[in-house]
């Protein structure tokens, strides 16, 4: 049903139906923004890139073919926008997201200590961008390696390798902390 | 294979919660590797819960999408949609003046859907094996929107479609009451998400819809229909105070003040509708 809904929405959007486009924005804005925020570490950049993603998508609706994975299509556009932006700004160095330290307390802290959660945010933020992009597509968007490869325009094996490396690094940093939290 | 190799395989597995058979067999027999699996699962379940700054751009983007001409490359909207839905809603509230006032004032109707990025996510249970995140969040396909999670913009669209086809005062008043319900729900959501700026917009819209929409249109109802149409709506308005007070009690002072403003509007609306039913002009 979900696939049919998605197809139906895209068909309406392709016919210029603005409310259908608005529904797509409703469904995907936060998800794209979240991913782009994790990649860029900058709220305004993430906002701009999210908007750019939708503008590009709506400007290229005719190129979207039935059977295409809409989620992967949108995230691929977002990734290309991110890469272009990064090239343009030449911000090769990663900066730590300042907002994480000041994040509001939420239910997550109940399950993982505040210290561990902050460590997790820090560790994710310090992953190399390629690893982080693939890893987040896996854990937040539940994409397969094939779909990740599609988004990141790489091979399935490379996508798998990036997720592996991201997990390996996170485990190195976080496992001792999680063990400490349990004892 | 030794444990190191199994753990490497675990890290390469698409879903550590659903490892391939051979790995699963080893995990069942090896406490050390199972502990490693639990840690990995715990990490991955918490990543989607990491807080990030809320996005505010969606509001502006949706407004532009629905109100401005599209880019050259985008197909033009069908003719029937050039009459913008939001305009019809505003017109339903009592005329062009309301639309102009709202638009000039920067109140973006479709932008009333600002939500915390984590607002719809469930927290995992404490412990090493929290509940799996809801599939609607992570599913690779576009999930249908359940009623409980229907966004305001979708509900507004539905109201707008009905308003556009409404031929009688009864239909208009009932649709505006539905719109007020949608705004009330959004006010509660925003109150829980501690988003006072967006809540201010919703509170203003709620006031417009009740005072300039429902109450004014109610005057056009034939006397014989007033009780049947207005009593249920008054009852819904009377319930609002109870609904929002619960949220207001746990909210900060600014959020609570705005929620109570919504309650006040509802209380006044309730009184005015009941007065109309009794034949007393409010």
């Amino acid at each position: 049903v979900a696939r049919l809904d998605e197809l139906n929405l895209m068909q309406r959007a392709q016919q210029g139906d603005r409310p259908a486009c608005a529904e797509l924005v409703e469904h995907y804005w936060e998800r794209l923004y979240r991913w782009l925020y994790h990649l860029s570490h900058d709220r305004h950049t993430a906002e701009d890139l999210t908007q750019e993603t939708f503008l590009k998508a709506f400007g290229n609706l005719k190129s979207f073919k039935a059977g295409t994975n809409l989620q992967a299509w949108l995230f691929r556009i977002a990734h290309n926008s991110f890469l272009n932006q990064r090239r343009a700004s030449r911000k090769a160095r990663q900066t730590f997201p300042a907002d994480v330290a000041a994040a509001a307390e939420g239910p997550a802290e109940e399950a993982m200590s505040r210290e561990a959660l902050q460590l997790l945010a820090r560790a994710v933020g310090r992953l190399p961008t390629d690893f982080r992009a693939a890893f987040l597509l896996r854990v937040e968007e539940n994409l397969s390696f094939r779909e990740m490869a599609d988004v990141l325009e790489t091979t399935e094996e490379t996508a798998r390798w990036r997720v592996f490396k991201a997990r390996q690094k996170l485990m190195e940093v976080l496992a001792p902390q999680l063990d400490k939290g349990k004892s | 294979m030794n444990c190191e190799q199994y753990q490497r395989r675990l890290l390469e597995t698409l879903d550590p919660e659903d490892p391939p058979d051979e790995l699963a067999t080893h995990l069942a027999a090896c406490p050390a590797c199972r502990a490693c699996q639990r840690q990995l699962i715990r990490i991955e379940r918490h990543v989607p819960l990491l807080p990030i700054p809320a996005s505010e751009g969606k509001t502006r983007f949706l407004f532009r999408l629905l109100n401005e001409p599209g880019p050259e490359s985008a197909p033009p909207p069908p003719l029937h949609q050039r009459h913008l839905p939001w305009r019809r809603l505003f017109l339903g509230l009592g005329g062009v003046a309301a639309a102009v006032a709202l638009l000039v004032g920067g109140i973006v109707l479709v932008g009333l859907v600002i939500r915390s990025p984590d607002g719809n996510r469930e927290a995992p249970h404490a412990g090493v094996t929290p509940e799996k995140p809801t599939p609607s969040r992570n599913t690779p396909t576009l999930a249908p929107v359940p009623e409980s999670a229907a966004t305001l913009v979708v509900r507004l669209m539905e109201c707008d479609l009905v308003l556009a086809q409404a031929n009688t005062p009864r239909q208009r008043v009932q649709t505006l009451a539905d719109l007020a319900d949608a705004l009330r729900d959004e006010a509660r959501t925003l109150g829980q998400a501690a988003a006072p700026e967006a809540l201010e917009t919703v509170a203003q819209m709620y006031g417009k819809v009740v005072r300039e929409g429902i109450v004014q249109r109610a005057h056009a109802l034939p006397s014989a229909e007033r009780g049947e149409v207005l009593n249920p709506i008054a009852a819904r308005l009377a319930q609002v105070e109870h609904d929002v007070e619960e949220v207001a009690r746990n909210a900060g002072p600014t959020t609570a003040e705005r929620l109570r403003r919504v309650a006040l509007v509802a209380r006044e609306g309730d009184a005015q509708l009941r007065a109309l039913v009794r034949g007393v002009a409010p």
Side-chain angles (χ1 to χ4, degrees), chain B residues 24 30 33 35 44 55 67 92 104 109-110 125 128 145 179 182 184 190 201 216 218 223 237 246 254 267 280:
Chain B
C30 177
C33 288
E44 296 204 345
S55 167
N67 289 282
V104 170
L109 188 59
V110 293
H125 296 299
V128 293
V145 183
L179 179 58
R184 174 208 60 204
L190 292 170
T201 309
Q216 283 196 11
S223 302
L237 291 172
E246 193 181 328
T254 310
R267 195 161 60 233
V280 183

Side-chain angles (χ1 to χ4, degrees), chain B residues 175 210 235:
Chain B
T175 306
V210 173

Side-chain angles (χ1 to χ4, degrees), chain A residues 19-138:
Chain A
C21 292
E23 278 196 60
L24 290 171
V25 173
E26 275 293 332
H27 278 285
Y28 280 107
W29 182 283
E30 299 290 355
R31 295 161 64 175
L32 287 164
Y33 166 78
R34 186 174 172 84
W35 189 59
L36 289 164
Y37 176 79
H38 277 305
L39 296 191
S40 66
H41 291 166
D42 181 84
R43 171 186 171 178
H44 300 293
T45 302
E47 294 266 25
D48 290 347
L49 290 174
T50 308
Q51 174 169 312
E52 189 179 320
T53 300
F54 281 109
L55 288 174
K56 284 181 179 172
F58 294 150
N60 290 285
L61 283 170
K62 283 180 184 166
S63 70
F64 184 89
K65 294 185 172 51
T68 304
N69 181 328
L70 174 60
Q71 181 191 23
W73 187 66
L74 285 173
F75 275 82
R76 185 165 65 244
I77 295 171
H79 188 242
N80 284 332
S81 298
F82 167 70
L83 293 180
N84 290 339
Q85 185 275 337
R86 195 172 62 163
R87 272 193 287 271
S89 65
R90 297 180 182 177
K91 283 183 182 170
R93 283 180 54 213
Q94 298 298 317
T95 53
F96 180 70
D99 306 80
V100 170
E105 285 190 32
E109 280 87 346
E110 292 166 20
M112 192 181 255
S113 74
R114 184 178 180 80
E115 188 187 1
L117 201 63
Q118 288 193 340
L119 202 64
L120 174 61
R122 222 175 275 271
V124 170
R126 286 178 176 163
L127 288 172
T129 309
D130 287 346
F131 298 172
R132 188 164 68 247
F135 175 71
L136 291 170
L137 287 175
R138 170 63 215 140

Side-chain angles (χ1 to χ4, degrees), chain B residues 7-281:
Chain B
Q7 288 177 17
R8 185 188 169 93
R9 278 201 66 190
L10 180 68
L11 297 183
E12 290 174 341
T13 299
L14 181 68
D15 184 356
E17 295 183 56
D18 185 23
D21 290 345
E22 188 192 353
L23 181 54
T25 305
H26 174 76
L27 288 170
C30 177
C33 288
R34 211 161 50 242
C36 176
Q37 181 196 27
R38 278 200 301 269
Q39 286 177 335
L40 179 59
I41 290 170
R42 193 169 180 213
I43 288 169
E44 296 204 345
R45 285 183 182 176
H46 280 79
V47 169
L49 300 166
L50 291 176
I52 64 167
S55 167
E56 294 172 356
K58 186 173 73 173
T59 300
R60 289 189 299 274
F61 187 80
L62 277 171
F63 180 72
R64 287 177 54 201
L65 176 67
L66 290 160
N67 289 282
E68 291 180 5
E72 295 295 322
S73 52
L79 196 58
H80 71 276
Q81 285 171 4
R82 305 241 174 116
H83 194 68
L84 298 170
W86 316 115
R87 243 179 93 196
R88 286 203 301 267
L89 270 177
F90 287 125
L91 292 173
L93 297 183
V96 178
V100 172
L102 288 173
L103 290 172
V104 170
I107 297 168
V108 182
L109 188 59
V110 293
L112 308 181
V113 288
I114 297 172
R115 291 174 192 280
S116 158
D118 293 322
N120 292 329
R121 278 179 213 138
E122 289 181 9
H125 296 299
V128 293
T129 53
E131 289 294 319
K132 199 163 186 169
T134 51
S136 63
R137 172 76 184 87
N138 286 330
T139 182
T141 56
L142 192 63
V145 183
E147 176 59 30
S148 60
T151 59
L152 180 62
V153 74
V154 172
R155 292 178 72 178
L156 293 183
M157 284 174 186
E158 289 167 357
C159 290
D160 167 65
L161 288 173
V162 179
L163 265 184
Q165 294 162 359
N167 296 319
T168 63
R170 172 194 282 253
Q171 288 173 326
R172 285 189 182 280
V173 169
Q174 287 174 332
T175 306
L176 287 164
D178 291 341
L179 179 58
D181 286 348
L183 289 164
R184 174 208 60 204
D185 291 347
E186 189 66 9
R188 289 185 60 191
T189 302
L190 292 170
Q192 286 160 342
E197 286 180 21
L199 181 57
E200 172 63 26
T201 309
V202 172
Q204 287 183 27
M205 274 306 302
Y206 188 79
K208 287 273 177 195
V209 170
V210 173
R211 291 174 177 146
E212 298 174 27
I214 297 172
V215 174
Q216 283 196 11
R217 295 278 167 179
H219 284 83
L221 281 167
S223 302
E225 290 183 19
R226 286 185 181 178
E228 183 191 344
V229 175
L230 299 182
N231 281 334
I233 296 173
R236 279 150 70 183
L237 291 172
Q239 181 65 24
V240 171
E241 186 166 19
H242 173 265
D243 288 347
V244 298
E245 184 56 38
E246 193 181 328
V247 181
R249 270 200 297 274
N250 298 317
T254 310
T255 299
E257 182 274 325
R258 287 167 189 174
L259 285 169
R260 289 183 176 123
R261 197 136 44 84
V262 169
L264 177 65
V265 167
R267 195 161 60 233
E268 287 174 358
D270 170 33
Q272 287 170 327
L273 294 186
R274 290 189 193 282
L276 257 181
V277 172
R278 290 196 307 271
V280 183

